[in-house]
Amino acid sequence: NLNPADLLFIESSDNYCTVVYLKQNQPAKVLLRSSLNRMAGQLPVEHIVRCHRSYIVNLNRVERVTGNAQGYKLHLTGSQFAIPVAR
């Protein structure tokens, strides 16, 4: 069972979701057969939000935001990930 505080983000592709989380302070990934909507429904935590049609992100892990009106990216603490933000 995943502690919501350890979650970095969830990325969806078709009927699968890649859950990226911290395991001993290192990013780890697990692939689950589930839709992003279903995953979002299983995470009743206010700081974990859907920021894009393919991404759910843990706002507590956002270190900085870059970008402009064309599109923003969320940079996550302790990782090289940049998550796109939809309008």
Side-chain angles (χ1 to χ4, degrees), residues 33-44:
R33 188 178 163 89
S34 177
S35 73
L36 204 59
N37 278 338
R38 221 169 103 206
M39 297 292 271
Q42 293 172 357
L43 292 164

Side-chain angles (χ1 to χ4, degrees), residues 54-67:
S54 302
Y55 289 93
I56 292 173
V57 69
N58 182 348
L59 293 179
N60 290 350
R61 293 278 174 194
V62 174
E63 189 174 56
R64 61 195 170 87
V65 179
T66 60

Side-chain angles (χ1 to χ4, degrees), residues 52-86:
H52 185 276
R53 68 186 168 86
S54 302
Y55 289 93
I56 292 173
V57 69
N58 182 348
L59 293 179
N60 290 350
R61 293 278 174 194
V62 174
E63 189 174 56
R64 61 195 170 87
V65 179
T66 60
N68 54 30
Q70 311 308 308
Y72 294 100
K73 291 205 183 301
L74 304 176
H75 298 268
L76 303 181
T77 311
S79 74
Q80 68 284 9
F81 300 110
I83 309 300
V85 178

Side-chain angles (χ1 to χ4, degrees), residues 1-33:
N1 211 350
L2 177 67
N3 178 353
D6 292 334
L7 179 72
L8 291 172
F9 65 93
I10 302 171
E11 179 182 5
S12 112
S13 57
D14 298 326
N15 294 324
Y16 291 90
C17 287
T18 303
V19 179
V20 181
Y21 61 99
L22 288 180
K23 185 176 183 177
Q24 287 140 11
N25 286 325
Q26 292 297 315
K29 294 182 180 184
V30 63
L31 186 67
L32 300 175
R33 188 178 163 89

